[in-house]
């Protein structure tokens, strides 16, 4: 597509969408909207310094130059992406941009359009949060770095992140004897086969020197929807040197170590090279002792899980390991840390987290569950839907769902006639019926008052309609005794709104949109006389009634 300056000024000069045309990241045209997005007063102020790299975070200069060069030597539209730029005053501005190759005068250029957004989901968001952190941070896939911050780049011998990204192959730092194992380990984390763990490694830098790092690997999803690994790294060279010095002097310090172990409040023990407990404190005996009395002078220990972890450490050449939420022989949960010692022994430290975990689970349940009906509340519902959607994507499957919204008919009359205690019992009974009638993966949420919703993962239109009819029938059968002899019962019916959503062939229907459609269908059922079901789609104006029409 060919553009002339006067033509593009006519098209975009007064647009609220930011537009900039650039060659080799030097602007040749910019409109007022884009100039103000990056903190310039106007177009004239922007074009006084047209180098666009001043607005790109330094960690992404290398990638930006490479990308623009690719665009200028290709053609067509290159898609949308979310980024952040730096304004003149250094503050971040989040943008959604698109790039397109155009003919500009006598050569190709890149036309970029930009709209401001609240935040982004790209590696740039990682840079905004962690770019200046003293902890090294890298995002990589298959041992190729996609992002590093300044701290990580300097740790690996580069002057800055841009220099490091000029050669993003991180496998070169791994000693050759460990490269195959490291590649398999990374592939297992990416596939979800294993979880990343904290471990200590020795890397060989480009200049031949070595660096010791404590690493933590975590599987994440990038903006492209594919998994990657977020690695955080601490420089532990001084710690390793100190450890080596302590190991060399351990014979003279053993008595002092024993006393320290005894006084430490956490569970601590030292195992020899035969993996027998040679030193331990009271807390370790309480967690791992098998005779039930931590005061016993000669306790026995159940440490099979610790020995198994030790064998795994030795096989993989790691010096450190963390086991989260280990079940101990005492029935308590503990976070366990293992450190290999020279000569084959190992130091164990463990923290009892049982009470903390119970409190955490209680608070999580309290925050996500409706206390009366024990169904999900809105917050718990949104969180559960997000997890289900992510699981579908991890399995490379489309996210589709059926949605049913139901509201109990004349529920105020039930409360007014029998009292709120009976009304609450009706709500409890309806929620119980919904839970028992659905699959384990289906979600039941109380939206508020007497309104509920049911989400059916992977359900088709026909399946969703059929389940709605079944639920309507079951609710009609609900009876709550009003008096002691059960001679009087409270009964209830419901009006149903039904729809489907997700990533369909023609368009994607998000949960919030589907909720609005189902809600409208439910109100249409109310207006049509209640105690019935109506189905609507996003582009359907009139809902068709299903099931019983009786009032």
């Amino acid at each position: 597509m060919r553009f002339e300056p006067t033509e593009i000024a006519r098209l975009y000069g007064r647009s609220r969408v930011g537009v900039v045309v650039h060659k080799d990241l030097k602007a040749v045209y910019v409109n007022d909207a884009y100039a103000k997005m990056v903190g310039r007063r106007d177009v004239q102020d922007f074009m006084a310094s047209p180098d666009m790299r001043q607005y790109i975070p330094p960690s992404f200069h290398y990638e930006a130059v490479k990308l623009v060069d690719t665009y200028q030597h290709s053609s067509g539209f290159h898609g949308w992406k979310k980024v952040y730029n730096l304004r003149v005053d250094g503050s971040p501005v989040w943008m959604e941009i698109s790039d397109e190759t155009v003919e500009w005068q006598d050569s190709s250029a890149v036309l970029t359009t930009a709209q401001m957004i609240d935040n982004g989901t790209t590696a740039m968001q990682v840079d905004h949060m962690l770019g200046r952190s003293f902890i090294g941070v890298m995002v990589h896939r298959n041992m190729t770095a996609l992002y590093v911050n300044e701290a990580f780049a300097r740790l690996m011998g580069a002057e800055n992140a841009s220099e490091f990204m000029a050669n993003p192959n991180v496998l070169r730092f791994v000693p050759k004897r460990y490269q195959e194992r490291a590649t398999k380990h990374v592939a297992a984390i990416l596939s979800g086969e294993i979880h990343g763990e904290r471990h200590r490694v020795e890397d060989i830098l480009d200049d031949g020197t070595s660096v010791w790092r404590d690493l933590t690997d975590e599987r994440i999803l990038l903006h492209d929807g594919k998994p990657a690994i977020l690695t955080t790294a601490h420089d532990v060279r001084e710690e390793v040197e100190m450890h080596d010095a302590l190991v060399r002097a351990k014979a003279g310090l053993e008595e002092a170590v024993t006393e320290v172990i005894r006084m430490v409040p956490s569970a601590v023990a030292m195992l020899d090279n035969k993996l027998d407990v040679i030193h331990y404190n009271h807390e370790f005996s309480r967690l791992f002792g098998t005779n039930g009395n931590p005061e016993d002078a000669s306790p026995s220990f159940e440490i099979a899980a610790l020995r198994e972890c030790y064998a795994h450490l030795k096989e993989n050449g790691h010096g450190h390991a963390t086991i989260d939420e280990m079940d101990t022989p005492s029935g308590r949960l503990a976070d366990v840390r293992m450190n290999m010692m020279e000569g084959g022994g190992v130091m164990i430290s463990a923290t009892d987290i049982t009470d903390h975990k119970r409190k955490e689970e209680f608070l999580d349940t309290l925050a996500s569950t409706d206390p009366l009906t024990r169904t999900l509340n809105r917050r718990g519902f949104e969180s559960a839907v997000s997890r289900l959607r992510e699981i579908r994507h991890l399995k490379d499957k489309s996210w589709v769902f059926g949605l049913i919204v139901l509201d109990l008919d004349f529920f105020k009359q039930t409360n007014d006639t029998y009292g709120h205690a009976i009304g609450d019992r009706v709500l409890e009974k309806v929620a119980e019926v919904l839970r028992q009638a659905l699959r384990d993966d289906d979600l039941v949420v109380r939206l508020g008052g007497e309104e509920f919703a049911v989400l059916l993962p992977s359900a088709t239109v026909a399946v969703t309609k059929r389940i709605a009819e079944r639920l309507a029938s079951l609710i009609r059968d609900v009876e709550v005794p009003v008096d002691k002899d059960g001679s009087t019962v409270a009964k209830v019916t419901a009006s149903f709104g039904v729809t489907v959503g997700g990533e369909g062939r023609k368009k994607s229907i998000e949960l919030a949109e589907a909720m609005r459609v189902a809600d409208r269908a439910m109100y249409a059922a109310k207006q049509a006389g209640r105690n019935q079901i109506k189905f609507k789609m996003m582009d359907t104006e009139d809902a068709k009634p299903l099931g019983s029409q009786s009032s």
Side-chain angles (χ1 to χ4, degrees):
M1 182 180 295
R2 174 176 292 277
F3 279 101
E4 295 296 332
T6 55
E7 180 183 12
I8 200 168
R10 178 177 58 81
L11 290 173
Y12 297 110
R14 297 183 179 180
S15 173
R16 293 183 179 180
V17 176
V19 176
V20 59
V21 181
H22 51 96
K23 298 181 181 181
D24 301 319
L25 289 176
K26 294 289 195 308
V28 296
Y29 168 83
V30 66
N31 71 352
D32 197 59
Y34 190 94
K36 291 180 178 178
M37 281 183 191
V38 294
R40 294 294 183 179
R41 292 190 305 274
D42 51 32
V43 171
Q44 185 177 1
D45 185 29
F46 183 101
M47 293 302 292
S49 178
D51 187 352
M52 294 178 61
R53 283 176 295 187
Q54 63 187 297
Y55 308 112
I56 300 173
S59 298
F60 297 94
H61 282 181
Y62 176 82
E63 289 296 319
V65 170
K66 185 169 64 174
L67 206 61
V68 168
D69 183 65
T70 300
Y71 289 170
Q72 288 184 190
H73 292 86
S74 59
S75 62
F77 181 70
H78 306 296
W80 290 86
K81 57 187 73 67
K82 294 178 181 178
V83 302
Y84 87 91
N85 281 359
L86 298 176
R87 295 189 180 95
V88 178
D89 62 3
S91 62
V93 54
W94 295 98
M95 298 178 174
E96 190 167 28
I97 68 170
S98 68
D99 293 307
E100 181 179 6
T101 303
V102 299
E103 294 182 31
W104 182 268
Q105 296 178 344
D106 59 346
S107 61
S108 295
V110 178
L111 185 149
T112 297
T113 60
Q115 300 181 68
M116 291 178 61
I117 56 177
D118 290 334
N119 55 45
T121 56
T122 66
M124 288 190 175
Q125 191 170 23
V126 177
D127 182 64
H128 177 55
M129 294 186 292
L130 301 173
R132 298 181 181 180
S133 172
F134 68 91
I135 299 173
V137 178
M138 172 177 66
V139 178
H140 63 102
R141 184 181 287 147
N142 300 323
M143 303 301 285
T144 299
L146 305 175
Y147 165 79
V148 297
N149 69 353
E150 296 292 321
F152 189 93
R154 289 193 296 270
L155 180 59
M156 303 309 293
E159 288 189 9
N160 50 50
S162 294
E163 181 183 310
F164 182 97
M165 292 301 293
N167 183 4
N169 175 23
V170 297
L171 191 62
R172 72 183 194 272
F173 301 116
V174 181
K176 289 185 177 180
R177 65 184 182 276
Y178 297 133
Q179 287 185 358
E180 182 178 355
R181 184 174 66 202
T183 302
K184 290 181 179 178
H185 179 73
V186 166
I189 296 176
L190 282 174
S191 67
E193 180 182 344
I194 63 173
H195 294 290
E197 58 184 7
R198 188 174 180 86
H199 56 281
R200 181 165 292 182
V201 299
E202 181 184 19
D203 288 329
I204 307 301
L205 303 184
D206 292 335
D207 62 3
T209 60
S210 64
V211 57
W212 284 93
R213 297 181 293 146
D214 269 5
L215 302 182
T216 301
D217 296 318
E218 181 180 2
R219 184 180 187 272
I220 62 172
L221 289 179
L222 281 184
H223 62 282
D224 59 5
K226 298 178 181 179
I229 296 177
L230 174 68
T231 296
T232 57
H234 297 263
D235 186 348
V236 292
R237 281 173 287 193
E238 291 184 1
E239 183 179 335
V240 170
E241 292 172 2
M242 184 179 297
H243 173 74
D244 291 342
L246 289 173
V247 168
R248 288 190 294 268
K250 70 174 184 177
L253 293 174
E254 187 166 333
E255 184 177 343
V257 169
T258 302
E259 181 63 17
V260 169
I261 288 175
R262 187 184 68 81
M263 297 176 63
V264 169
S266 299
V268 178
M270 186 182 293
L271 280 57
D272 61 16
N273 56 5
K274 296 180 182 179
L275 300 186
D276 293 326
V277 178
I278 55 175
H279 301 291
Y280 62 91
N281 65 358
H282 177 277
E283 182 69 1
F284 186 86
S285 181
R286 183 179 72 86
L287 291 178
F288 292 92
T290 58
N291 50 13
N293 181 12
E295 303 295 343
D296 196 301
S298 300
S300 57
F301 300 100
E302 173 52 61
I303 57 172
L306 299 177
R307 287 171 173 159
E308 184 180 343
C309 183
Y310 175 88
H312 181 72
L313 280 179
K314 196 170 183 179
E315 179 184 349
N316 290 279
H318 295 160
H320 305 260
T322 298
I323 311 170
D324 294 328
E325 300 180 21
M326 171 185 279
D327 289 313
T328 68
S330 64
R332 309 285 290 180
L333 287 176
D335 283 347
V336 179
R337 171 79 171 176
M338 303 186 70
N339 295 279
M340 296 276 286
M341 298 188 302
E342 189 172 328
V346 60
M347 178 73 77
I348 309 290
S349 63
T351 303
D352 188 341
I353 62 166
T354 309
D355 295 336
H356 173 76
K357 194 68 180 176
R358 287 172 180 167
K359 184 180 296 184
E360 187 179 80
E361 291 173 352
F362 173 75
L363 291 175
D364 183 64
T365 301
L366 197 63
S368 61
T369 306
D370 175 57
L372 175 64
T373 63
R374 289 172 296 142
T375 61
L376 296 171
N377 59 22
R378 284 182 180 270
R379 174 181 174 181
F381 181 59
E382 291 172 359
S383 178
V385 169
S386 178
R387 287 195 300 271
L388 286 174
R389 182 174 187 170
E390 183 176 341
I391 290 170
R392 295 289 295 179
H393 286 168
L394 288 175
K395 294 181 178 179
D396 292 328
K397 294 181 179 180
S398 297
W399 165 243
V400 293
F401 58 86
L403 182 65
I404 302 169
V405 172
L406 60 123
D407 189 90
L408 303 186
D409 298 326
F410 304 112
F411 186 71
K412 183 178 183 302
Q413 183 177 328
T414 299
N415 277 334
D416 292 344
T417 303
Y418 303 116
H420 287 277
I422 297 299
D424 287 348
R425 183 71 187 103
V426 169
L427 292 174
E428 292 174 333
K429 188 65 177 177
V430 168
E432 181 182 345
V433 165
L434 294 177
R435 286 196 303 270
Q436 293 178 350
L438 298 172
R439 304 167 299 179
D440 290 341
D441 288 344
D442 299 333
L443 302 179
V444 180
V445 57
R446 183 184 179 193
L447 298 175
E450 61 270 26
E451 189 175 3
F452 295 84
V454 173
L455 184 130
L456 309 169
S458 307
T460 62
V461 171
V463 169
T464 305
K465 290 178 179 179
R466 187 166 63 251
I467 291 176
E469 291 170 347
R470 181 184 175 200
L471 296 178
S473 177
L474 290 171
I475 289 174
R476 292 186 195 107
D477 293 336
V478 168
E479 293 184 351
V480 175
V482 174
D483 45 29
K484 291 183 178 180
D485 60 7
S487 59
T488 304
V489 295
K491 297 179 65 68
V492 70
T493 62
S495 300
F496 289 73
V498 180
T499 189
V500 293
E503 300 159 351
R505 293 183 179 179
K506 295 184 179 180
K507 58 184 173 182
S508 176
I509 302 175
E510 296 296 332
L511 177 63
E513 296 172 332
M515 288 290 288
R516 287 192 290 271
V517 173
D519 206 48
R520 289 199 299 269
M522 182 271 291
Y523 277 107
K526 289 277 189 187
Q527 293 170 358
R530 294 179 171 81
N531 190 23
Q532 57 184 279
I533 304 165
K534 288 210 171 187
F535 175 80
K536 274 183 178 289
M537 289 291 290
M538 279 289 291
D539 53 354
T540 301
E541 292 298 327
D542 298 316
K544 297 180 180 180
L546 302 170
S548 172
Q549 300 296 315
S550 61
S551 59

